[in-house]
Amino acid sequence: MNLPDVWFALIAVLWIGYFFLEGFDFGVGVLTKALARDRTERRVLINTIGPVWDGNEVWLLTAAGATFAAFPDWYATLFSGFYLLLLAVLLCLIVRGVAFEYRAKRPGERWQRNWEHAIFWCSAVPAFLWGVIFANIVRGVPLDASHEYTGDVFGLLNPYALLGGALTLVLFTFHGAVFTALKTVGDIRGRARRLATGLGLAALALAAAFLLWTQDASGDTRTLVAMVVAALSLGAALAANARGREGWAFSWSGLAIVAAVAMLFLALFPEVMPSTGDPAGTLTIENAASSPYTLRIMTWCAAIATPIVLLYQGWTYWVFRKRIGTQHIAPAAH
């Protein structure tokens, strides 16, 4: 395996890690409206991800940075052609981070309600848009011979992409519901499990439609294996959730996300952005990669820094591993 292949695989791993971690993060944000009944319960949900949400976003920064350094032409085409969608994601992530920090700065009900609206919408919108973006990457977009995007934003909102967006939104919310059941006690824990059942069934139906479409359009034996793993993992997550095995349910729902995203990258390989216009515009691992020297330097840096980041993030999750409930929220915490 040459260095461009290695870095394609590493970027795939970074995106998989991001969707696994930020997936339940987004899901909990959506559940602040869909599950929580009052301000105290919303505070419980926010506290479950409070110590880790910003660390989860490091995976996004690293994935984008690695794409810029390892495949600059891919980065340039992606961020110019998908500019409005990516800008919407970026603005949501900024507002969402501010909302987490500012919600409790004042006790006023209107102040807190507005920030809670921001948390909900700025979790739901990126969860949907990431599915739209990656579905379009796999499906292909109109590119000219210079690798320039020749379409418009409405062309990105095609049926396949919208189905992908619906899948990521529902799947991430299911992942968040399972995480909530794993991290809470009391009534909210039971309601999270019940809600997870409906969300999981909806995610299974959407995943079947989207992944079968992907398999039919650009699949092979490897993608078929990944699709089967994703489907079986979703079913196992539903079964574990029904039995109250929240740790197993979370592990299986996470594996479903891992397998589904892996399937998309396997369907894409060895291209990084297919062209539905001029065939010469298709970006591949070879024609989009940086120089071998750049990739060698990046490989050494990644080999040194990655274990440190993983150890630190794992330690963070270990420190904040305990469950919380409404009884842990003081009245003044609002």
Side-chain angles (χ1 to χ4, degrees), residues 16-59:
I16 288 170
Y18 173 66
F19 288 134
F20 176 88
L21 296 171
E22 192 86 307
F24 73 75
D25 198 323
F26 285 143
V28 171
V30 173
L31 293 175
T32 57
K33 292 292 186 184
L35 177 66
R37 292 175 173 173
D38 53 36
R39 294 165 68 187
T40 303
E41 289 191 350
R42 280 189 284 275
R43 185 68 203 183
V44 170
L45 291 177
I46 292 170
N47 282 4
T48 64
I49 59 173
V52 298
W53 67 267
D54 47 355
N56 295 344
E57 292 185 359
V58 171
W59 288 76

Side-chain angles (χ1 to χ4, degrees), residues 31-32 35-48 103 109 112-113 116 180 184-185 188 191 324-334:
L31 293 175
T32 57
L35 177 66
R37 292 175 173 173
D38 53 36
R39 294 165 68 187
T40 303
E41 289 191 350
R42 280 189 284 275
R43 185 68 203 183
V44 170
L45 291 177
I46 292 170
N47 282 4
T48 64
R103 175 188 176 276
E109 182 177 350
Q112 294 196 2
R113 185 174 62 251
E116 288 164 1
T180 300
T184 57
V185 295
I188 194 171
R191 284 188 283 115
I324 62 172
T326 54
Q327 66 270 30
H328 300 117
I329 306 298
H334 299 301

Side-chain angles (χ1 to χ4, degrees), residues 7-19 21-22 54-71 74-75 78-79 93 130 134 265 298-299 301-310 312-313:
W7 273 97
F8 179 84
L10 289 175
I11 289 171
V13 169
L14 289 171
W15 281 109
I16 288 170
Y18 173 66
F19 288 134
L21 296 171
E22 192 86 307
D54 47 355
N56 295 344
E57 292 185 359
V58 171
W59 288 76
L60 171 61
L61 298 175
T62 308
T67 304
F68 171 76
F71 300 100
W74 184 15
Y75 179 94
L78 175 64
F79 279 76
L93 293 180
W130 280 127
F134 271 83
F265 277 94
M298 289 176 59
T299 303
C301 292
I304 295 170
T306 301
I308 298 173
V309 173
L310 291 175
Y312 173 77
Q313 193 160 24

Side-chain angles (χ1 to χ4, degrees), residues 184-196:
T184 57
V185 295
D187 181 56
I188 194 171
R189 176 186 178 187
R191 284 188 283 115
R193 283 175 51 196
R194 290 191 293 272
L195 181 59

Side-chain angles (χ1 to χ4, degrees), residues 62-307:
T62 308
T67 304
F68 171 76
F71 300 100
D73 285 353
W74 184 15
Y75 179 94
T77 302
L78 175 64
F79 279 76
S80 59
F82 292 60
Y83 181 80
L84 290 178
L85 298 185
L86 290 169
L87 178 63
V89 170
L90 178 60
L91 290 175
C92 283
L93 293 180
I94 292 171
V95 173
R96 184 170 176 265
V98 173
F100 282 136
E101 300 297 333
Y102 274 53
R103 175 188 176 276
K105 295 300 183 184
R106 288 172 55 182
E109 182 177 350
R110 182 178 179 183
W111 170 272
Q112 294 196 2
R113 185 174 62 251
N114 288 338
W115 287 119
E116 288 164 1
H117 288 321
I119 291 172
F120 171 79
W121 287 109
C122 292
S123 297
V125 171
F128 175 77
L129 289 181
W130 280 127
V132 172
I133 290 167
F134 271 83
N136 275 297
I137 293 174
V138 174
R139 173 181 176 269
V141 292
L143 303 175
D144 61 21
S146 301
H147 310 305
E148 296 288 340
Y149 179 67
T150 58
D152 55 32
V153 69
F154 298 105
L156 300 176
L157 303 178
N158 54 78
Y160 176 72
L162 293 176
L163 179 60
L167 171 59
T168 51
L169 175 58
V170 175
L171 182 57
F172 289 170
T173 308
F174 168 64
H175 196 38
V178 173
F179 178 78
T180 300
L182 177 64
K183 287 289 292 180
T184 57
V185 295
D187 181 56
I188 194 171
R189 176 186 178 187
R191 284 188 283 115
R193 283 175 51 196
R194 290 191 293 272
L195 181 59
T197 299
L199 289 168
L201 291 172
L204 190 59
L206 289 168
F210 179 76
L211 297 183
L212 284 171
W213 192 341
T214 303
Q215 179 67 23
D216 180 65
S218 52
D220 54 20
T221 303
R222 298 170 305 171
T223 57
L224 179 61
V225 171
M227 182 183 71
V228 171
V229 171
L232 292 177
S233 298
L234 265 178
L238 280 165
N241 179 70
R243 296 174 58 191
R245 303 294 297 273
E246 288 122 349
W248 280 108
F250 179 72
S251 299
W252 285 117
S253 68
L255 181 58
I257 292 174
V258 169
V261 180
M263 179 185 177
L264 296 182
F265 277 94
L266 288 170
L268 192 59
F269 184 84
E271 298 172 345
V272 294
M273 186 167 285
S275 173
T276 59
D278 189 338
T282 294
L283 285 166
T284 67
I285 290 175
E286 295 299 329
N287 67 18
S290 292
S291 67
Y293 178 76
T294 300
L295 295 178
R296 284 197 299 271
I297 295 296
M298 289 176 59
T299 303
W300 279 107
C301 292
I304 295 170
T306 301

